[in-house]
Amino acid sequence: MTAAQTATGIQLPSYAWYQAAAAVNKNATIAHMLTWMPQFSSTSDTWGAVANSNYHALQLSLVKRTAHGSSITVNYTFAKNMDDAGTARSGYAIPASATADGRAWAPDRIDYSRSVNDQPHNLQVFGTYALPFGKGGYGADNKFVRAFAGGWKLSGISSYWSGLPLAITAGCTSYQNYLQGQCMPDVNPNFHGSARVNGGWGHGVTAATLGKVSYLNGYLSDTTPGNGVPNGTTKVACASSSGPFCNVNNFMIGNAGRTGAYNLRGPGYYRLNMAVRRTFPITERANFIFGVDCANVTNSVLFGNNAQNNQIQASVNNAAFGTVGFASADSRAFQFSGRLEF
C-alpha cells in the first residue's frame, strides 16, 4: 500500500479501502482504488444505502367544509428532491482537465442532481356536491323533478403530478469509459434550441407506431470520441454539431447532468375519477343505493412513464433514443352498482 502511494504520488483513500478490497479476490489494486467508492468490494446499491439525499417541500391544504350541498379539499405539494444515488461517474474529485468545459468537481458533486423520482408539483383536488334539484332545491314542487332529479350526489378526485427527470446516459467505448462508473455524454455549449421534438410525449403515435417516434433531439449514431450529431452520414465534431449532446473524449468524463439535462422530463400524470350516487328509500329501514363510477373521465393516456422513466429510451447512442415504449391501458371505464341497505 505504501509502495503504491509512493510510486504513483496518489493519496490512497484509507486503510479501510485496502481491507475491503483485499477481502474479495485480492482486489487491493491501484485500478480498484480509482473506482467509485473503493472502500466497498462492490457497489450494488439496490436500496440507495450509499448516497446523499435531501428533500424539501412546501405543503398547502385548503378545505371547504360542507355548505350548500358541497365540500371540497385541495392538497398541493411543491417539492425538490436531490441526491447522488445511481449512475455515478466517479467518487473522487474530478480535475478541470478531465471535463470538456474545464470545470473541476469536488468528490460526488458532479452526480448530485434532481432525484429520478423528483416531482416538483403534486396537486390533488377532491370533493362532493349534492345536485340542487328536488326537495329543498329547484323543482321542489314538481313530483317528476323530485322523483327523477332529486337526491343525486356527485363526487370526484382529480390528480396531477409533474413528470420525472430523465437520466440521459451514453454508450461509450472502453477508452471513453476507462475505469469510471456510468458513462455520460457531454452537453454541446454551442447548442441553441429545444432538446424536445415532435410535440408532447406520445403525440401522433398509434399502437402500431409506439416506440418508433423519437421525442428527444440529439441521437448520436456512433461513439466516435468528441463527435456530435452527424450531418447525414458525415461525422461532425462537437463544436460544429447542431445537436444538444456530444460523445465524451477518450479518458474524459462527460459533463451532462446525471438527471434532467436541458430540463428534460418525462410526461406529467393527470387523472380525473368521478362518481354519482342516489339513495332510494324503500321502507323506513330499507334503502336501495344506486351508483355510477367513471375512472379516467378524460380518457387520458400516459406515455412512456413509470417509476423511473425507464420506458423512455434515454441513451444518446441508442437508435431508439427518445422513443416511448409504454402507453397506459387504463382507458375510460364505467361501473354501475346497486346496494340494498336494511
Side-chain angles (χ1 to χ4, degrees):
M1 179 175 177
T2 303
Q5 182 169 302
T6 302
T8 62
I10 300 174
Q11 181 65 40
L12 298 183
S14 66
Y15 187 68
W17 156 75
Y18 182 84
Q19 290 179 313
V24 179
N25 299 326
K26 307 298 181 182
N27 203 22
T29 64
I30 294 175
H32 182 76
M33 180 194 71
L34 293 174
T35 62
W36 182 56
M37 295 191 176
Q39 68 269 33
F40 297 96
S41 56
S42 66
T43 53
S44 177
D45 189 22
T46 303
W47 303 109
V50 187
N52 299 286
S53 178
N54 286 284
Y55 175 79
H56 302 277
L58 170 67
Q59 297 179 330
L60 299 175
S61 183
L62 299 175
V63 179
K64 177 187 177 295
R65 296 179 179 177
T66 303
H68 305 291
S70 68
S71 66
I72 188 169
T73 300
V74 179
N75 293 326
Y76 172 69
T77 300
F78 176 66
K80 185 177 184 180
N81 193 3
M82 303 285 293
D83 65 36
D84 55 11
T87 58
R89 279 163 272 204
S90 174
Y92 289 94
I94 298 174
S97 59
T99 60
D101 57 2
R103 180 179 177 182
W105 294 86
D108 300 321
R109 295 304 296 180
I110 193 170
D111 293 312
Y112 188 73
S113 63
R114 297 273 187 166
S115 170
V116 292
N117 59 7
D118 174 69
Q119 290 181 316
H121 305 287
N122 184 329
L123 177 65
Q124 308 288 323
V125 181
F126 55 92
T128 61
Y129 180 58
L131 298 182
F133 303 105
K135 185 178 179 180
Y138 300 113
D141 297 330
N142 188 301
K143 62 179 181 180
F144 294 102
V145 174
R146 292 196 305 269
F148 296 103
W152 293 97
K153 290 185 177 180
L154 185 68
S155 62
I157 302 175
S158 178
S159 305
Y160 171 78
W161 292 274
S162 298
L164 304 174
L166 295 178
I168 305 298
T169 61
C172 296
T173 67
S174 58
Y175 290 104
Q176 291 169 301
N177 195 25
Y178 190 73
L179 292 179
Q180 63 172 296
Q182 175 64 53
C183 187
M184 307 288 284
D186 283 329
V187 294
N188 183 359
N190 300 312
F191 174 74
H192 301 285
S194 175
R196 288 275 286 106
V197 293
N198 296 327
W201 292 105
H203 177 75
V205 301
T206 64
T209 58
L210 183 67
K212 298 179 181 179
V213 178
S214 177
Y215 297 93
L216 295 179
N217 182 14
Y219 163 55
L220 304 174
S221 58
D222 63 74
T223 56
T224 303
N227 278 7
V229 175
N231 182 9
T233 59
T234 304
K235 295 180 179 180
V236 176
C238 184
S240 302
S241 172
S242 60
F245 300 105
C246 301
N247 291 320
V248 67
N249 278 301
N250 287 334
F251 308 107
M252 301 282 279
I253 291 180
N255 61 14
R258 182 176 65 88
T259 63
Y262 295 101
N263 294 318
L264 290 174
R265 287 180 174 269
Y269 178 91
Y270 172 76
R271 282 295 180 273
L272 174 63
N273 300 322
M274 300 191 74
V276 63
R277 294 280 188 279
R278 184 180 176 184
T279 300
F280 295 89
I282 301 174
T283 67
E284 290 184 359
R285 295 186 176 182
N287 296 304
F288 177 74
I289 301 175
F290 174 75
V292 181
D293 297 87
C294 182
N296 193 7
V297 174
T298 57
N299 205 28
S300 301
V301 179
L302 179 64
F303 287 96
N305 208 354
N306 60 10
Q308 295 182 356
N309 279 305
N310 60 14
Q311 296 279 354
I312 297 175
Q313 176 52 248
S315 173
V316 296
N317 298 116
N318 190 307
F321 179 60
T323 61
V324 296
F326 169 83
S328 61
D330 59 333
S331 57
R332 184 190 296 119
F334 288 91
Q335 177 176 289
F336 297 85
S337 63
R339 185 173 76 247
L340 183 63
E341 288 186 349
F342 56 91

